[in-house]
Amino acid sequence: MVFHNTRSFAQELDRTDPLRHFRDRFFIPEREGNALIYFCGNSLGLQPKAVREAADAELTTWQHLGVEGWFDGETPWLSYHRTCKEALGQIVGAEPVEVCPMNALTVNLHLLLASFYRPTPTKYKILTIAGDFPSDQYALETHAAFRSYPPADAIIEVSPRTDGLIHTSDIQRAIAEHCDSLALIWLSGLNYYTGQVYNMAVIAETARHYGIPVGFDLAHAIGNVPLQLHDWGVDFATWCSYKYLNGGPGAISGIFVHQKHHDRNLPRLAGWWGYQEETRFAMTKGFVPMHGADGWQLSTPNIVALAMHRAALSITAEAGMPQLRRKSEQLTGFLEHVLLEAGFGRSDEAGSLPYQILTPADPNQRGCQLSLLVRDNGKALFDRLASGGLIGDWREPNCIRLAPNPLYNTFDEVWQVGEALGRVSIG
Ligand SMILES: *Cc1c(COP(=O)(O)O)cnc(C)c1O
């Protein structure tokens, strides 16, 4: 698509946008009566109007039924999690039996590492990405240490090249080089800082070639980019639901465990909520897991949070990932266009330009987020945009992250951001 940096062009795209009505399903934050431009769904998605109703419905069930709510009511709480599986499966490219909403991301990562990180004295290393999200780094570090392997020795990091990006071929080379000592590969599917999407299909294929389990953190990928976890042969994954899935602050996370592992009776850290549903309340000794991803559940779920998650999830499922992705590529492409016109340089222009887009220019290597590097006084630029009504996200020391969301952002908002920027390299 050829973009024009004019308001009429932006408004025409909005007028013909098949997803434009989805914006009305969200509360848009305001300041002094004016809608803010919210490009921060990579950190916390906006509130869908349906979420309060969904939470309220479960509070009403509790009010009227008390404990009977576990078995009675419109959606009995005992199997409430199952009502999210269809949509989750659709969004991550999985069979419903391979996914389960539960816990929080880092908690799930620990549970999955307990099952999939099976080190031996010769094969105990974990391959990951340098500078990946801190919580993931801490989880890997402590799992290695927990099994008495010093993290500095056990964790192998693939580093970015001078363009600040990780090259898939570097990951493949590292897997091949360390294949004899690797017990696990774990990385984010979409880098929270650079906005880069890794080629998960190729990484999973390489991992399978060497017989090494591979898992992905999909915090920034779910609801943002197309995923085919089952077909790619990914072994396991987890995500959060408060970023692109709009489930609310601290929303329920979820896991994916590939079908090929369901009958393997993998070791795990068990809890009663992962015990077979039919006989759970017999309260007997000896853990018998539920089939599939459900068998990793631990505890009684927070039903109000699950209801919020489900309500938000169904909006993403209704819009559909192919349609969301189509709009997202245009929206972010348009943002890139106005940034280039404002004086930013492209990611692939080498060197240290004063204003540069760090996120890859290739749409297949990014989701909706663009990360901007501003060498001098980036915070002042960020503050200026913020005071003009833009909610973005600032990362020390010099990074502005902007993530226009195809569910609730408009092309006109992107145009307005361009206007607010002016000519950065001059002004
Ligand atoms: C947001 C994010 C998290 C957050 O983890 P929580 O357990 O939900 O606090 C973890 N990893 C990545 C890559 C993230 O982007």
Side-chain angles (χ1 to χ4, degrees):
M1 173 176 271
V2 180
F3 296 108
H4 303 284
N5 191 8
T6 64
R7 186 159 217 176
S8 59
F9 176 79
Q11 290 179 340
E12 181 59 16
L13 285 181
D14 284 327
R15 204 183 56 75
T16 54
D17 168 15
L19 298 179
R20 67 186 179 282
H21 297 302
F22 279 90
R23 179 176 168 90
D24 301 334
R25 315 256 293 257
F26 290 83
F27 291 110
I28 310 293
E30 296 182 352
R31 190 189 294 153
E32 289 154 10
N34 297 314
L36 295 169
I37 297 178
Y38 194 82
F39 281 5
C40 211
N42 55 337
S43 187
L44 178 65
L46 287 182
Q47 183 183 150
K49 292 174 181 168
V51 154
R52 184 186 300 269
E53 232 168 84
D56 210 50
E58 299 318 316
L59 292 174
T60 304
T61 302
W62 177 29
Q63 177 182 339
H64 293 302
L65 296 183
V67 72
E68 298 300 328
W70 287 106
F71 308 100
D72 273 352
E74 200 169 314
T75 313
W77 300 333
L78 189 66
S79 51
Y80 202 101
H81 69 282
R82 281 214 290 268
T83 63
C84 300
K85 281 165 166 277
E86 195 68 42
L88 277 177
Q90 191 184 316
I91 292 164
V92 301
E95 297 296 325
V97 70
E98 293 176 309
V99 293
C100 185
M102 59 192 227
N103 307 321
L105 190 161
T106 309
V107 175
N108 287 335
L109 176 52
H110 279 295
L111 295 177
L112 291 165
L113 287 174
S115 295
F116 287 94
Y117 178 48
R118 314 293 308 158
T120 67
T122 54
K123 231 171 144 52
Y124 60 91
K125 296 193 177 180
I126 304 173
L127 187 92
T128 190
I129 293 297
D132 216 335
F133 197 85
S135 206
D136 299 56
Q137 293 189 48
Y138 306 149
L140 296 181
E141 216 174 278
T142 49
H143 268 267
F146 202 69
R147 321 284 178 98
S148 306
Y149 299 102
D153 172 45
I155 295 175
I156 299 170
E157 296 183 340
V158 178
S159 293
R161 293 202 195 162
T162 48
D163 59 5
L165 303 174
I166 304 279
H167 292 237
T168 302
S169 55
D170 291 349
I171 297 176
Q172 290 180 286
R173 200 170 307 115
I175 295 172
E177 186 187 336
H178 299 284
C179 63
D180 292 334
S181 60
L182 281 180
L184 183 74
I185 299 160
W186 174 260
L187 63 147
S188 294
L190 196 159
N191 188 287
Y192 80 100
Y193 187 79
T194 64
Q196 182 184 11
V197 179
Y198 305 121
N199 192 329
M200 290 174 258
V202 164
I203 295 167
E205 190 187 318
T206 308
R208 196 166 56 248
H209 174 77
Y210 292 103
I212 304 158
V214 60
F216 290 106
D217 181 326
L218 302 175
H220 279 260
I222 193 168
N224 183 13
V225 294
L227 299 166
Q228 293 298 337
L229 299 183
H230 180 92
D231 289 351
W232 294 342
V234 172
D235 292 284
F236 65 106
T238 182
W239 51 81
C240 55
S241 308
Y242 47 80
K243 292 170 180 166
Y244 296 106
L245 294 183
N246 313 304
I252 301 253
S253 165
I255 65 162
F256 164 86
V257 176
H258 198 284
Q259 212 152 26
K260 64 189 170 191
H261 299 299
H262 292 186
D263 295 323
R264 287 183 58 207
N265 199 19
L266 283 167
R268 70 192 81 191
L269 299 178
W272 77 314
W273 221 261
Y275 192 96
Q276 278 188 350
E277 210 172 276
E278 311 77 56
T279 48
R280 183 179 302 151
F281 292 91
M283 313 289 221
T284 50
K285 214 168 135 70
F287 179 69
V288 186
M290 286 175 82
H291 188 64
D294 290 13
W296 271 265
Q297 294 176 100
L298 276 191
S299 291
T300 316
N302 178 337
I303 294 295
V304 173
L306 207 45
M308 292 167 64
H309 176 36
R310 178 172 78 149
L313 193 63
S314 68
I315 297 175
T316 300
E318 183 187 330
M321 281 314 295
Q323 292 82 345
L324 282 170
R325 175 61 175 173
R326 199 171 310 126
K327 176 174 173 186
S328 178
E329 283 186 14
Q330 291 180 358
L331 205 55
T332 295
F334 189 42
L335 178 61
E336 181 182 42
H337 179 80
V338 304
L339 287 165
L340 294 175
E341 294 234 318
F344 276 83
R346 281 185 191 280
S347 62
D348 49 6
E349 285 167 340
S352 44
L353 298 172
Y355 297 89
Q356 188 151 11
I357 303 173
L358 174 60
T359 310
D362 173 8
N364 292 321
Q365 289 188 63
R366 69 185 185 199
C368 70
Q369 171 186 325
L370 293 182
S371 303
L372 316 181
L373 288 185
V374 182
R375 307 273 166 208
D376 292 318
N377 242 337
K379 189 64 172 42
L381 175 63
F382 179 77
D383 289 343
R384 180 161 68 77
L385 292 171
S387 64
L390 173 70
I391 300 189
D393 166 291
W394 170 254
R395 290 280 141 160
E396 292 293 345
N398 56 11
C399 182
I400 298 172
R401 299 186 304 168
L402 300 178
N405 188 315
L407 272 176
Y408 49 72
N409 287 124
T410 65
F411 292 91
D412 190 61
E413 288 178 308
V414 171
W415 177 82
Q416 288 180 51
V417 169
E419 283 301 286
L421 274 170
R423 282 292 300 179
V424 285
S425 51
I426 301 166

